[in-house]
Amino acid sequence: MAAILSHPRVYKFLHVPVQSGSDAVLADMRREYTRDDFVRVVEFLRERVPGIHVATDVICGFPTESEEDFAETVQLVRRVGFSTLFINQFYPRPGTPAARMAPVDAREKKRRTKLMAELFRAYLPYQDRVGRRYRVLVTERAQEAGYLVGHNESYEQVLVGEQDGLLGGEVEVEVVETGKFFMKGRVVVATGEASLVGHGLLASWLAPSRGEPCPSTWTCRRGVVCCSLLALLVALLMSRCWALSA
């Protein structure tokens, strides 16, 4: 897995939903891994794939989540320091075992969700990046007028000033400003059209059609979909760790 994530045509990005930092809640969710399994995988990948961007999801207010369980999830988020964290309030899905459990009070679920969001907003993952240079693949127009969206090899978002010929190509940028969820870069070198020429099925699956701008669907094909497959491998690995420790 580390070898795949280190490949120059694969983003160093992995989305692995942990959902809770409490082993008791994970067991109630019927997740076949523990908190330590998750941490072990993240630490292994960070050691073997420098600069890897690990994203995760957490659920606040699962029916059996106590205040102590929630505190364990908070502790996990502090320990790992995720650059991307998707925070969800528990919502019962009809027909599932959790839907038949006694719910956590709605106000308490909101309180925990708010606390988790405040924790996530409290740290700035890109604050030390000003002055660094990255090769960036420019994929789409930003919501902020006058900017294009690009991603570096770790799938971190870098905004660059809109210029003719940049969309769908690669540029080298120097970071001049950072925010909670992004970096802004000044174009140093325009390296031209993204080059994904290779051999075999993998290269043909990763490469966009020539002559077309690089849309977000292609970005997904190159990075996110591939990382979804890697996430499945992580889940299998964590399941194996759980089986061996049982």
Side-chain angles (χ1 to χ4, degrees):
M1 186 184 308
I4 295 173
L5 286 166
S6 297
H7 193 280
R9 295 191 180 103
V10 177
Y11 285 122
K12 296 179 180 181
F13 171 80
L14 198 62
H15 183 182
V16 191
V18 66
Q19 306 298 14
S20 176
S22 163
D23 288 346
V25 172
L26 289 173
D28 290 338
M29 290 178 172
R30 301 187 179 180
R31 303 263 167 178
E32 295 185 347
Y33 57 85
T34 66
R35 168 200 177 108
D36 286 346
D37 291 336
F38 178 85
V39 171
R40 186 159 50 248
V41 169
V42 170
E43 290 180 345
F44 173 86
L45 290 174
R46 284 181 169 175
E47 178 183 347
R48 299 297 180 90
V49 189
I52 188 171
H53 176 180
V54 179
T56 198
D57 299 10
V58 295
I59 294 175
C60 298
F62 187 79
T64 62
E65 182 187 70
S66 66
E67 187 63 36
E68 291 74 21
D69 293 324
F70 175 69
E72 289 185 31
T73 304
V74 169
Q75 184 184 45
L76 176 65
V77 171
R78 283 198 178 113
R79 175 177 177 178
V80 177
F82 301 100
S83 298
T84 301
L85 176 65
F86 298 98
I87 304 167
N88 304 290
Q89 199 174 130
F90 174 77
Y91 179 80
R93 293 174 57 191
T96 62
R100 297 189 293 272
M101 298 177 181
V104 172
D105 179 76
R107 289 174 297 182
E108 178 62 16
K109 283 196 292 186
K110 290 181 180 179
R111 185 188 73 85
R112 293 178 189 177
T113 303
K114 181 180 178 182
L115 287 174
M116 186 64 70
E118 289 174 348
L119 168 62
F120 180 55
R121 288 196 297 267
Y123 60 87
L124 303 173
Y126 307 130
Q127 63 181 349
D128 62 343
R129 305 292 186 90
V130 173
R132 293 195 190 183
R133 291 190 176 192
Y134 296 102
R135 284 188 68 186
V136 170
L137 179 64
V138 183
T139 57
E140 59 191 301
R141 288 182 172 82
Q143 292 184 348
E144 184 175 350
Y147 285 93
L148 300 173
V149 177
H151 294 90
N152 63 12
E153 65 177 2
S154 301
Y155 202 65
E156 296 167 332
Q157 183 170 275
V158 182
L159 302 180
V160 296
E162 189 166 1
Q163 300 177 33
D164 291 339
L166 292 188
L167 195 61
E170 288 184 318
V171 296
E172 182 177 339
V173 303
E174 179 180 337
V175 178
V176 296
E177 181 185 343
T178 65
K180 173 63 179 177
F181 302 104
F182 68 90
M183 293 172 275
K184 286 185 178 179
R186 174 180 62 85
V187 175
V188 178
V189 179
T191 58
E193 182 180 341
S195 175
L196 289 173
V197 179
H199 301 283
L201 178 62
L202 179 63
S204 63
W205 180 69
L206 291 175
S209 300
R210 289 186 62 84
E212 295 181 0
C214 187
S216 57
T217 51
W218 177 82
T219 301
C220 186
R221 289 175 64 196
R222 185 189 188 211
V224 176
V225 169
C226 184
C227 288
S228 295
L229 298 176
L230 291 172
L232 175 59
L233 293 176
V234 170
L236 292 173
L237 175 61
M238 292 170 69
S239 177
R240 178 62 175 164
C241 291
W242 176 83
L244 291 174
S245 63

